[in-house]
Amino acid sequence: MGAEVDYEQEIQELKRKLNAVILAHYYQESEIQDVADFVGDSLALAQAAAKTKADVIVFCGVHFMAETAKILNPGKQVLLPDLKAGCSLSDRCPPVAFRAFKEKYPDHFVVSYVNSSAAVKAMSDVICTSSNAVKIVNQVPKDRQILFAPDQHLGRYVMKQTGRDMVLWPGSCIVHEIFSEKRLVQLKVQHPEAEVVAHPECEEPVLRHADYIGSTKGLLDYVLKSPKQEFIVVTEAGILHQMKRGAPEKTFIPAPPDNGCSCNECPYMRLNTMEKLYRCMKDRTPELTLPEDLQSAARAPLQRMLEWSQ
């Protein structure tokens, strides 16, 4: 037993030694969220990465998030506990295919969701997150037609909110597309007092039943402020850790219900573990690197997003 590593203590010591900052997404396992310097959604994490004074950024999230941190901090080392931590949305929008798709709409203003590869970002005019997608699209010049990628469900939600017509890349998230309308209705019958809060990456039939639709941070803020005591949460289950921390007296029900099914957990996000986090800091690998020309091309639309989000 004495040989066991106290990962939390070791990580804190390595953080001081490396002058490192640990950024973690809400969908990470609870132990990683607890050891992180900053926990947030994609927009907040991008903003934190852009402002950090640390020499090393350790990104506990998925590949595209670490890429974003590197693009915004070309001179810093960016570590990712597991390079295989990808994203179904990003994978479903290959750069070669996206380039061909984009060429069909040469005059369109390209708004790409942050859940995309650096190569897709480099082909975009501006990036958005679920937190700021409506705000970003509202700032696209009214005389420009819009191409939105890669999440079609978020795109449809934004079209409804803004009244802007958009050409949508037909992508979706494997976690958010599995939520069943039938199962959600059954949950509502079982919990008649509960409010339903849902992420806009969910399919339209599911969103129709939501009392509140918002980004991961939006959902967290809403349930903490709401006078209601019971919530059905329709997004990746990792956010429940912060909800329970912020309002321990309230009840949070993951959709689908907790019946042994882990299909409401992102398999990519869960590749990161405390042991991998410790080892990546100890060995300073795996490191996220990108060609300088790609970083430069992707930086402009990311910077525009940060400017338009203020």
Side-chain angles (χ1 to χ4, degrees):
M1 290 292 287
E4 285 189 8
V5 177
D6 183 338
Y7 290 124
E8 185 172 352
Q9 182 181 334
E10 292 291 332
I11 287 165
Q12 296 292 359
E13 288 181 9
L14 283 165
K15 194 163 60 174
R16 287 189 288 273
K17 180 181 172 185
L18 300 175
N19 186 27
V21 64
I22 300 175
L23 306 180
H25 193 272
Y26 288 126
Y27 295 167
Q28 293 292 284
E29 63 178 45
S30 57
E31 292 84 1
I32 288 178
Q33 292 188 44
D34 289 343
V35 79
D37 297 290
F38 185 86
V39 182
D41 62 4
S42 295
L43 175 59
L45 290 169
Q47 290 168 329
K51 294 173 185 171
T52 186
K53 299 291 192 290
D55 296 319
V56 178
I57 299 171
V58 187
F59 216 113
C60 297
V62 292
H63 200 272
F64 78 80
M65 297 177 178
E67 283 187 338
T68 298
K70 184 64 179 178
I71 291 163
L72 294 171
N73 295 276
K76 297 182 189 294
Q77 184 178 45
V78 176
L79 302 175
L80 185 65
D82 193 326
L83 281 177
K84 297 189 191 74
C87 169
S88 58
L89 253 177
S90 181
D91 292 346
R92 290 172 173 183
C93 189
V96 173
F98 183 68
R99 184 178 296 280
F101 185 77
K102 182 187 169 191
E103 285 172 358
K104 297 178 186 175
Y105 307 96
D107 298 324
H108 282 52
F109 192 94
V110 180
V111 180
S112 288
Y113 191 27
V114 72
N115 299 42
S116 56
S117 66
V120 167
K121 288 182 175 72
M123 289 184 262
S124 308
D125 293 297
V126 68
I127 309 304
C128 73
T129 72
S130 54
S131 286
N132 65 12
V134 170
K135 186 174 185 178
I136 295 294
V137 168
N138 274 329
Q139 293 177 79
V140 175
K142 295 289 187 280
D143 61 344
R144 296 292 301 277
Q145 292 180 294
I146 300 172
L147 188 162
F148 187 93
D151 192 282
Q152 59 182 317
H153 303 304
L154 176 62
R156 288 195 189 97
Y157 172 76
V158 172
M159 284 169 65
K160 277 183 135 183
Q161 297 299 308
T162 63
R164 299 292 297 267
D165 192 28
M166 302 192 296
V167 174
L168 305 177
W169 173 271
S172 56
C173 163
I174 59 170
V175 173
H176 289 96
E177 71 183 358
I178 57 89
F179 292 115
S180 156
E181 181 185 19
K182 180 181 176 184
R183 296 279 292 281
L184 179 57
V185 170
Q186 290 171 343
L187 270 181
K188 288 182 70 173
V189 170
Q190 292 164 11
H191 303 274
E193 296 301 312
E195 281 195 317
V196 176
V197 297
H199 194 283
E201 284 181 29
C202 296
E203 295 181 342
E204 173 60 25
V206 169
L207 293 180
R208 281 201 296 264
H209 296 278
D211 297 290
Y212 176 79
I213 299 168
S215 68
T216 322
K217 178 66 161 59
L219 300 182
L220 177 60
D221 290 344
Y222 180 83
V223 301
L224 297 184
K225 291 174 184 171
S226 172
K228 290 280 189 175
Q229 294 299 301
E230 198 171 17
F231 301 88
I232 298 169
V233 182
V234 195
T235 190
E236 213 276 356
I239 189 60
L240 268 68
H241 178 60
Q242 295 296 329
M243 290 178 171
K244 290 171 182 173
R245 282 185 67 179
E249 76 286 0
K250 295 184 179 182
T251 302
F252 303 103
I253 305 148
D258 187 14
N259 58 0
C261 167
S262 63
C263 45
N264 60 350
E265 293 181 356
C266 174
Y268 300 105
M269 286 280 188
R270 302 308 165 118
L271 286 175
N272 295 321
T273 64
M274 286 288 279
E275 181 180 357
K276 289 178 184 176
L277 172 56
Y278 160 68
R279 294 198 181 282
C280 96
M281 294 178 73
K282 180 172 176 284
D283 301 332
R284 297 185 78 156
T285 187
E287 180 178 1
L288 193 288
T289 58
L290 290 168
E292 285 189 20
D293 58 341
L294 180 57
Q295 289 186 54
S296 180
R299 190 172 301 120
L302 272 168
Q303 292 285 13
R304 181 173 283 157
M305 175 190 78
L306 294 174
E307 290 165 11
W308 287 11
S309 299
Q310 290 174 0

